[in-house]
Amino acid sequence: MESLDRRRTGSEQEEGFGVQSRRATDLGMVPNLRRSNSSLCKSRRFLCSFSSEKQENLSSWIPENIKKKECVYFVESSKLSDAGKVVCACGYTHEQHLEVAIKPHTFQGKEWDPKKHVQEMPTDAFGDIVFTDLSQKVGKYVRVSQDTPSSVIYQLMTQHWGLDVPNLLISVTGGAKNFNMKLRLKSIFRRGLVKVAQTTGAWIITGGSHTGVMKQVGEAVRDFSLSSSCKEGEVITIGVATWGTIHNREGLIHPMGGFPAEYMLDEEGQGNLTCLDSNHSHFILVDDGTHGQYGVEIPLRTKLEKFISEQTKERGGVAIKIPIVCVVLEGGPGTLHTIYNAINNGTPCVIVEGSGRVADVIAQVATLPVSEITISLIQQKLSIFFQEMFETFTENQIVEWTKKIQDIVRRRQLLTIFREGKDGQQDVDVAILQALLKASRSQDHFGHENWDHQLKLAVAWNRVDIARSEIFTDEWQWKPADLHPMMTAALISNKPEFVRLFLENGVRLKEFVTWDTLLCLYENLEPSCLFHSKLQKVLAEEQRLAYASATPRLHMHHVAQVLRELLGDSTQLLYPRPRYTDRPRLSMTVPHIKLNVQGVSLRSLYKRSTGHVTFTIDPVRDLLIWAVIQNHRELAGIIWAQSQDCTAAALACSKILKELSKEEEDTDSSEEMLALADEFEHRAVGVFTECYRKDEERAQKLLVRVSEAWGKTTCLQLALEAKDMKFVSHGGIQAFLTKVWWGQLCVDNGLWRIILCMLAFPLLFTGFISFREKRLQALCRPARVRAFFNAPVVIFHMNILSYFAFLCLFAYVLMVDFQPSPSWCEYLIYLWLFSLVCEETRQLFYDPDGCGLMKMASLYFSDFWNKLDVGAILLFIVGLTCRLIPATLYPGRIILSLDFIMFCLRLMHIFTISKTLGPKIIIVKRMMKDVFFFLFLLAVWVVSFGVAKQAILIHNESRVDWIFRGVVYHSYLTIFGQIPTYIDGVNFSMDQCSPNGTDPYKPKCPESDWTGQAPAFPEWLTVTLLCLYLLFANILLLNLLIAMFNYTFQEVQEHTDQIWKFQRHDLIEEYHGRPPAPPPLILLSHLQLLIKRIVLKIPAKRHKQLKNKLEKNEETALLSWELYLKENYLQNQQYQQKQRPEQKIQDISEKVDTMVDLLDMDQVKRSGSTDQRLASLEEQVTQVTRALHWIVTTLKDSGFGSGAGALTLAPQRAFDEPDAELSIRRKVEEPGDGYHVSARHLLYPNARIMRFPVPNEKVPWAAEFLIYDPPFYTAEKDVALTDPVGDTAEPLSKISYNVVDGPTDRRSFHGVYVVEYGFPLNPMGRTGLRGRGSLSWFGPNHTLQPVVTRWKRNQGGAICRKSVRKMLEVLVMKLPRSEHWALPGGSREPGEMLPRKLKRVLRQEFWVAFETLLMQGTEVYKGYVDDPRNTDNAWIETVAVSIHFQDQNDMELKRLEENLHTHDPKELTRDLKLSTEWQVVDRRIPLYANHKTILQKVASLFGAHF
């Protein structure tokens, strides 16, 4: 039991979870892994069937691809189980083994070996997990073998579990034993961790158990779930745990899958095992066939994290490799190893200071120079933070800790310390994201590539706050063209804050939007988008018409077809079908980064040939449409604010959204579309209000201006098409319509004046009527008459008088003068009606916009009053036909009489112009709908009562007309008080009825007795039915109808004015284009129109007063004026928003929160100030002590004083190092720390050998290091000219050191080196490994590094400069599988001058010439190279020679370039040949570190930029 506890302490409590990272490389094309975000209502339709199908797929796929491990050989162990039972060496009892394991045959008599005696079998534990008596949240789990490939697990998570590919991977590691954190720090950690996961779409990976840091993460997720809405999404928390250490795991075993499996969290009875944490969403349970062994999951978790970090996430057109970060809380030795591995693999780590143990040890020394991180300091820190375990630390462990912490701190760019309330850090999420950006910034990339990579990360995380504070700073000046790819990504991903940020930083939409960009955006519409489905229908229809096998590629004219359906046929196509020769080209360039959108590189969208051509009239409009059709509210608002023709744009967006909402099946989406449409209408009203206040005349010009950008339509037409009643009812628009209504007459003319002048037109020459134009004020001018009778108000009233005359004449003929042969009055009616028919025909064929006959017919018959006119005319024709036939004269008169009613109803339309009657007519129309639906309810009661009454009273009535009377007619009249005669038998009389129903004029008698004189039906029943009928029909239903009328009246009354003003336009437009003469005189106007259209071929044109095309200069000035006022409107909106009470309350709340945080920080700073002063005092005392110690030692060495009388100093007290963040002493560490670093890396390259840890202070051979016991390693090579392995001294006795030993030069540039026991010692000190490693010779291994440079020149041949300094280019080479470039040098064959690698990139005929160049070159460095292959007994020394070509026309330079091998990339992969390239010399050049040092010396030699 004791050993088990110790093992748990070492493995479980110290939780070593390895994390891996990836180098920042160019991002390649990735498959589109996005899952369609279908709406909730659509998904619910298939929820049940989908779930069952998904379970069946899992039940078949998981056992086939995922295995578990089982022990197949029982070997009794000396240890007993917790219950005192005999167990196998695997930890399981007899009962828990398979039958084949208890009765072994193959392995009889052998020792238990997990490699042989544990076999893989299909897993039997997977499915959904529910924690009993806890939250009802359903998680996922699976039991996997420790050898399961990471790709299979990743496929399970993304494809079968349905997890979205993460934008970030957060590996949380630390103490696996419960530990205490300060409440404030715990709160900050929980809030920040969940925030970064939720906002960036990250996965959090932990150990999954209900202890330690895993429990902290789980509780953070739980708190978030309780405080957030379902729309915010679930935080993905994945627990990777060991199957054999899980308590109550038996409940998870279901061979066909548990859907769900119930799990009991029992902390009290878990013993040495652990329980799963109920707040994790997914569990991967790693099985190695053993029980109770902790740490089994670590290798699989490490490989899984590494695999995920190598995957590419495509989001919104940007492909990035998934970044990974390690977050550390508390922890022990295992955690330190995890951090060390993470740092060495390039994974940034965030250490939470204050969480305890390892985290606090690293945080305390993180900002110290590496030279000051000594063994004694680490020992001191361990004694403070590991008080309970400190006694168990050995000297070797302390040395190892010191070495690892030195290596961790040395790479500060990957290390972030989160300190509560210091350096402005308030949230862990900011610290995590800053750590990733800091790590990205430190990687070797050229300037733009590095900043661009950081921006891609910020966009992927959707953290605009990080982008503002960390990326868009003064350190880098962004060019607008560089932001275009990320702008596309932000648009596709619907990240409006980033779009706003890019616009603020110089992106101009008119330059950004290109033909290819628009196509890219439309190709990346969400599949759930309604516009996407409409586009697919257009493409399918084109495919059907073309009889093509493949779906045609999307073009913008397809988009235009759908947009025309939405905007209406009054607009022209926004994107005409392009000709191939008209394809536009752009001259923008972007940096070399790979961004992919469904297989199309975004970079290719912007790299075009020269010559910028604008392919659309208004690119901002195109982006606005794209945002609106997807119902992206905030994005559409941002783009609309950039538009120029903003009023028309807002009205068009309103129209599009309202049309889409009609077809949208999802109710929520439809309501959102309508809300956004209202918002755009409100914007249009706001901008027009600003314009109207400023200048009424120019504002009215905006209404009727032909907008080329919106399909040659007008704002007024768009508002009418969209039925934007608020806009049309605006006072300015109504004033314009009134102006149109009065024509050239003054509006203040009284209506009685108009009527008098209509009856006596000579009054026009008396000044009785006033005109707007001065030229018409002169008397006795025919133009006054023309202007008067062409005014729509005059035409309207003349038509009213004409129509009243027509109705009077029609009534006179029907009632007084309807003769067998038509009279002259009747003939006049025929002529009058013929003129009405001609006018209706003119309206039908009137097409000033060229929409086509079908569209005009559709628009014509969409009006109710036109339908009524056509119906009345057709009925008149039927009546006239019957009237002209003598046999049907009377039916003809009846039909004409009914037709008269229809003509009278037409008067209601005429009254809509009246401000008093117009709204009431609208209310009547709405109430008619209520009556229609009410009749359905009434018919149920009428028919049911009528049939029951008729069946009870009358026996076998066969006359249909009397059945109808009894069932329907009498029942309907009963509602209005006419009680049936025989209902109660009181008025029973045989004289008033027909006993047998033979009299056609009398009803059949009801049931009577045998005498026939008394009724026999049950009177009580009929009376009861009558009372019930009257109760429901007369009281309930009629009062319901009254209530419906009242509700309709109240509802419509609020908007009646708007509706009337909206419908008023139709009447005004009708009479504005109507001929001035009333019927029947209008026939003369029709004859004139017939001659103009058919004979003279003059097309119809809309009057300029309703549609006016302005001159280019005038239109530009008008739009600029509108744009200026739009800015005023937006500013007013922002001001009003700030003045709202809700906003003020929110601002006050934020200020209070800020004040509370500042007070908390002030308290921390005050305590920190005290700590700072104490730390400063302690440091000064320490420095004085050291100085006195040096003085005393110097005096003693000089012979002053005796040993007895010498001053003695108290031993230096072990003070705690002050917090370096608060310390006034912040030293800058020099690269290299004065010792070799790479040569002491614990893991030797390309070998599974670990060096002995050597801290900085123990590197010199002179430093005492009694426990130093490095392993011996020498790689065997196939090359003949290498030293022996050297594991013994005898084979090395023939080697002569410090001289030229045959072909091998064993002399060191640093002088004579020491040879001890036949082995040379590295002159730079210990490395932690003996032997020659993978080098060829013991002692120095000489290499040559030629540095071939030339000046970087522009296209004109001038030398490029940066920060005044000239820029160099250097020749570098690279192996295809290597991530770094290198100088073209290396080791040489004995007796040869050129390195082997250089010979591989140069043609053989140029070797001699290059040797000459080397001899003429300048030596820039000669000495030791800090190489990871160095050992205690073998090391690399190099000579770096600079070969510089001053002139670009240098013949030797041209010969060099001609003799460089050029290789096909495919051949490079196959033959592993080297590739060469000229790269700009820069400090971020991706070069090996030791080569970069040489390159820096060359740049200094020429005074060039580095």
Side-chain angles (χ1 to χ4, degrees), residues 18-77:
V19 287
Q20 298 290 339
S21 179
R22 73 320 176 255
R23 297 286 182 183
T25 56
D26 288 345
L27 305 174
M29 185 177 65
V30 293
N32 187 359
L33 297 173
R34 291 182 302 177
R35 295 181 297 137
S36 62
N37 299 319
S38 58
S39 61
L40 183 61
C41 71
K42 296 178 183 177
S43 62
R44 284 177 176 171
R45 300 175 187 172
F46 311 100
L47 185 59
C48 297
S49 60
F50 175 76
S51 298
S52 59
E53 182 182 354
K54 187 177 180 181
Q55 292 176 8
E56 292 176 3
N57 292 337
L58 278 176
S59 299
S60 59
W61 185 87
I62 289 183
E64 292 177 1
N65 296 274
I66 297 179
K67 310 296 180 184
K68 67 173 183 177
K69 287 206 171 182
E70 288 279 2
C71 176
V72 295
Y73 180 56
F74 186 88
V75 176
E76 185 175 332
S77 174

Side-chain angles (χ1 to χ4, degrees), residues 168 244 301 309 413 418 421 440 516 604 619 655 734 769 798 839 889 913 1042 1098 1124 1222 1236 1320 1407 1491:
L168 173 63
R301 175 177 170 180
S309 67
Q413 69 276 13
F418 175 78
S440 172
D516 289 329
S604 64
K655 167 66 174 173
Q734 291 301 308
I769 294 293
M798 290 182 66
E839 175 57 23
L889 178 65
I913 194 64
I1042 294 171
I1098 300 176
Y1124 166 73
L1222 299 172
H1236 48 197
W1407 288 358
H1491 291 186

